[in-house]
């Protein structure tokens, strides 16, 4: 849409050259009358008309721009909000286009246009606006926050890891050099990213180099990088998916070599099979006669897998507990995560997640040896096509260690050419994660030594599918069938091979009978498995109910004792806290609790209803609060006129480790709706952090070092997308050295927001020598004054976050450093300086609050 607008705008308003201002009384009269009208309309809140008047005034009299800037912005924003709520999106962007034309360097307008684009889903365009606003004013906090929010999506963090992986870069370079030297003179780089492989080909002497890139941001970045390296004229970069490329429209002739690294942790998830089939059919010359040379780098891959037991994976993909916070969960055992590869899985379900096995909290146990699952030759188009034909391969893998199969972990070796290969295995010290295929069987899938696992391997919808279908033990086969109530369904196997196949055939047909299966996000399952969290919450609510009851008794009025306690849970995603409270009310008899949940999804509501029923909670005691309302002020309302809430549960921390946006505004709203003695849960959040040295965090944040990457100048361009806060961190397994004890960084008081600081300074004593590269942080959530839950614990569904410092700080044991922590809206920034020895006297002062 933005492109379309740009075009129509040019057609509508041809530019005129600058003119000498004229002294024209009629014109001056028009300007001053229009200005007056604009102001009048503003007073009457007729923003549309005011906007038109301002446009006229400022186009006629640019000298008034400075004078009218503030009012113009105000009018624009008000009018844009109106247009937005009316759904007049094209008009909205037209207004912004006009505003930007008048004020091309106004960072506030540019940023605000970005926000509208972002809300409409134009992420790339939004990011470009935030980026521009930041360039106009580098310390503009709104634009910074917005840019950081989109930077992760635009340029994913693994780009940094890959560019920092010298081994990988070098091997690709060697393979490309060899192919070019052997005669491949025309090269296509599919999914060029920063342009690195294309530049390698050019440097190696390729005559013509083409590159394509799907993502607009990466395409623009590649163009910048290639120009900066003096290759703008010799590498042609196309912003398109390779599958859309045609000859001669996009490239003049077929090429003699394709180079690509469009592989994800599960090898095929970026669509490499389809891209290469297309390339072989439409973009590549026929296979070379000589056997030793190839047309595709990488030439092939070998996929490995092994079964693992891992508590951390299990608690994210299946229900592991039978009760939480006094609620019996037996009725909902059939909860599974959306990551599924089973026959009955939804086609859109991703079959795997990714993890670095070496960084899993609590570790893992290998139950089988690494086993070769699949060999793929990227230079053989027939083989690639047969892979796609949904052929299912079966494998039997011997169990080497007793345990519970929680997942199959997968990695691969990428054979760049005969001499150079890259492994993404768990033992290697590379940037790669492994693909994790969780076992979705209902029963605990226990295996013993000498059992065999029966696996199915196939390629479906651009994914490698890997499914553990049965266990073979003492000549018998035990299906891992999610439909069976018992642990296994057994089949006698006089002739194992024949029976295996018929048993498998029967498995394939079962999927239509699946019912009553609930899907929750991995983090929602982990939360439901968190016994400690729910028990703490139950205790906090119990305390609150007791205190409210006793204050009602003291008032001793007829009305108040029969009145229910109203409780509202506005957690994002699935939550049983409302039900837990309703159940508590029922247990204690006297005054009932009327609980409201704001869960919106039908499945979530069905799950809560089922749980209510199985826990004997009356249907009327749990209700769904204003389903499908968009804005907070509508969600946070009184339970009924003249009534107020006894408790409101706010969901404060995102799974990624950041404070939820607009938390404090929500808390302020919620406070106004509480009855006397009512509470917000939690009442307070204390942010803790510590100083660390972590090379890993640096590697994931920016291209490191001053040396050019393979001789190319790439770092300064991609590093523009560096963000200072790293999310989804697992601090317990992060390779790092602790340079201080944990300290309290900040307190957010949800019951009294005036007590919150925007900026706070603290002094931290260094406990070990090193280089401070990051300040990881997490939260202590105070449900009330005594009961707390931490987001940094083994059973937490929350991850941690870290502020990564732009300039590491060298410190010694005993040094004091000064941290300045700032909270702007809900985003944290931290600056750090070393305290000079001369000032060390100040360490006697307490930490202070600005
Ligand atoms: N990440 C691995 C996956 N593309 C690498 O737009 C390893 C993840 C990873 N362009 C941690 C560590 C690691 N035509 O920019 C992307 C993408 C583009 C295409 C044109 C096509 N057919 C495609 C397909 C993809 O290629 C670029 C690279 S994809 C590599 C994915 C470090 N977490």
């Amino acid at each position: 849409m933005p492109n379309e607008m740009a075009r129509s705008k040019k057609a509508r308003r041809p530019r005129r050259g600058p003119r000498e201002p004229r002294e024209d009384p009629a014109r001056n009269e028009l300007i001053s009358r229009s200005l007056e009208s604009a102001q009048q309309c503003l007073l009457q809140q007729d923003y549309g008309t005011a906007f038109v008047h301002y446009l006229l005034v400022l186009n006629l009299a640019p000298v008034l721009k400075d004078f009218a800037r503030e009012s113009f912005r105000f009018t624009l924003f008000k009018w844009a909000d109106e247009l937005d709520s009316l759904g007049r999106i094209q008009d909205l962007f037209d207004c912004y286009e006009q505003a930007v034309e008048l004020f091309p360097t106004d960072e506030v307008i540019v940023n605000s246009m970005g926000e509208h684009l972002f809300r409409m889903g134009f992420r790339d365009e939004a990011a470009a606006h935030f980026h521009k606003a930041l360039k106009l004013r580098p310390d503009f906090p709104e634009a910074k926050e917005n840019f950081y929010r989109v930077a992760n999506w635009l340029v994913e963090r693994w780009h940094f890891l890959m560019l920092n992986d010298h081994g990988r870069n070098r091997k690709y370079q060697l393979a490309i050099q060899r192919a070019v030297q052997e005669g491949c003179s025309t090269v296509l780089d599919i999914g060029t990213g920063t342009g690195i492989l294309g530049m390698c080909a050019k440097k190696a002497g390729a005559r013509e180099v083409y590159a394509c890139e799907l993502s607009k941001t990466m395409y623009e970045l590649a163009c910048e990088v290639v120009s900066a390296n003096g290759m703008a004229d010799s590498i042609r970069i196309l912003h398109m998916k390779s599958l859309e490329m045609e000859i001669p429209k996009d490239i003049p002739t077929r090429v003699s070599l394709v180079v690509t690294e469009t592989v994800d942790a599960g090898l095929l998830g970026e669509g490499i099979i389809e891209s290469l089939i297309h390339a072989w059919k439409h973009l590549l010359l026929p296979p070379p006669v000589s056997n030793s040379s190839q047309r595709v780098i990488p030439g092939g891959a070998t996929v490995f897998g092994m079964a693992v037991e891992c508590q951390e994976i299990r608690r994210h993909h299946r229900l592991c507990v039978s009760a939480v916070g006094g609620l019996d969960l037996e009725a909902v055992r059939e909860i599974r995560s959306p990551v599924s590869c089973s026959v009955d899985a939804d086609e859109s379900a991703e079959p795997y997640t990714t993890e670095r096995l070496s960084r899993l909290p609590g570790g893992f146990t290998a139950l089988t040896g690494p086993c070769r699952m699949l060999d793929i030759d990227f230079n053989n188009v027939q083989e690639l096509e047969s892979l796609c034909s949904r052929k299912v391969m079966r494998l039997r893998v011997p169990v080497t260690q007793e345990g519970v199969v929680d997942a199959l972990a997968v990695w691969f070796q990428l054979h760049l050419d005969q001499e150079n290969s890259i492994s993404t295995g768990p033992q290697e010290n590379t940037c790669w994660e492994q693909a994790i295929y969780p076992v979705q069987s209902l029963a605990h899938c226990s295996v013993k030594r000498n059992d065999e696992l029966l696996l199915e391997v196939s390629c479906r919808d651009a994914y490698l599918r890997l499914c553990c279908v049965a266990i073979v033990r003492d000549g018998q086969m035990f299906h891992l069938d999610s439909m069976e109530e018992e642990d296994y369904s057994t089949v006698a196997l006089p002739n194992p091979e024949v029976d295996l196949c018929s048993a498998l055939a029967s498995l394939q047909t079962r999927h239509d009978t699946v019912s009553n299966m609930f899907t929750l996000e991995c983090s929602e399952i982990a939360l439901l498995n968190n016994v400690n969290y729910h028990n703490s919450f139950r205790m906090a609510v119990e305390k609150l109910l007791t205190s409210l009851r006793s204050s009602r008794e003291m008032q001793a009025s007829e009305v108040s004792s029969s009145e229910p306690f109203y409780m509202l849970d506005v957690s994002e995603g699935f939550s049983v806290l409302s039900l837990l409270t309703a159940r508590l009310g029922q247990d204690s008899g006297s005054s009932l609790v009327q609980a409201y949940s704001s869960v919106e999804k039908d499945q979530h509501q069905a799950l809560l209803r089922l749980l209510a029923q199985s826990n004997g909670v009356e249907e009327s005691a749990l209700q769904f609060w204003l389903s499908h309302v968009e804005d907070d002020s509508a969600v946070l309302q009184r339970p009924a006129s003249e009534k107020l809430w006894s408790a409101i549960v706010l969901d404060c921390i995102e799974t990624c480790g950041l404070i939820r946006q607009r938390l404090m505004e929500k808390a302020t709203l919620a406070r106004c709706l509480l009855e006397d003695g009512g509470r917000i849960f939690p009442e307070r959040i204390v942010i803790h952090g510590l100083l660390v040295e972590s090379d890993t965090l640096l590697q994931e944040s920016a291209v490191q070092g001053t040396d050019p990457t393979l001789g190319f100048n790439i770092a300064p361009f991609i590093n523009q997308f560096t963000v200072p806060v790293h999310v989804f961190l697992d601090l317990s397994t992060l390779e790092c050295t602790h340079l201080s004890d944990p300290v309290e960084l900040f307190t957010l008081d949800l019951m009294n927001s005036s007590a919150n600081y925007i900026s706070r300074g603290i002094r931290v004593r260094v406990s070990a020598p090193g280089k401070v590269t990051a300040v990881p942080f997490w939260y202590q959530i105070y449900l009330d004054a005594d009961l707390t839950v931490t987001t940094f614990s083994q059973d937490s569904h929350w991850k941690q976050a870290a502020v990564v410092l732009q300039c590491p700080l060298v410190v010694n044991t005993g040094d004091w450093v000064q941290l300045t922590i700032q909270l702007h809206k809900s985003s944290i920034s931290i600056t750090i300086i070393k305290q000079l020895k001369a000032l060390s006297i100040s360490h006697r002062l307490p930490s202070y609050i600005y």
Side-chain angles (χ1 to χ4, degrees), residues 157-159 161-162 190-193 212-215 218 240-243 260-265 270-271 275 354 356 431-433:
R157 302 299 96 179
W158 49 257
H159 281 287
L161 281 172
M162 290 176 91
I190 295 182
T192 194
C212 63
E213 175 52 58
L214 189 62
S215 134
M218 290 313 296
M240 56 168 59
K241 193 168 185 171
S242 66
L243 297 172
T260 188
E261 200 178 14
T262 49
V263 288
D264 68 338
E270 288 282 341
S275 311
T354 65
R356 247 176 226 96
C431 58
W432 281 89
E433 295 180 337

Side-chain angles (χ1 to χ4, degrees), residues 420-454:
N420 296 290
S421 70
I422 291 174
S423 166
T424 70
Q427 321 288 1
E428 314 289 327
N429 186 21
T430 69
C431 58
W432 281 89
E433 295 180 337
Q434 289 75 49
I436 304 293
Y437 292 74
V439 169
Q440 289 282 6
S441 152
L442 258 192
H444 270 234
C445 171
S446 303
V447 290
K448 294 189 186 147
R449 264 174 215 239
N450 301 324
D451 285 354
E452 281 183 308
L453 286 180
L454 180 67

Side-chain angles (χ1 to χ4, degrees), residues 252-272:
T253 50
R254 286 177 176 256
V255 293
S256 47
L257 181 69
V258 160
V259 296
T260 188
E261 200 178 14
T262 49
V263 288
D264 68 338
L267 183 68
L268 310 182
E270 288 282 341
I272 191 168

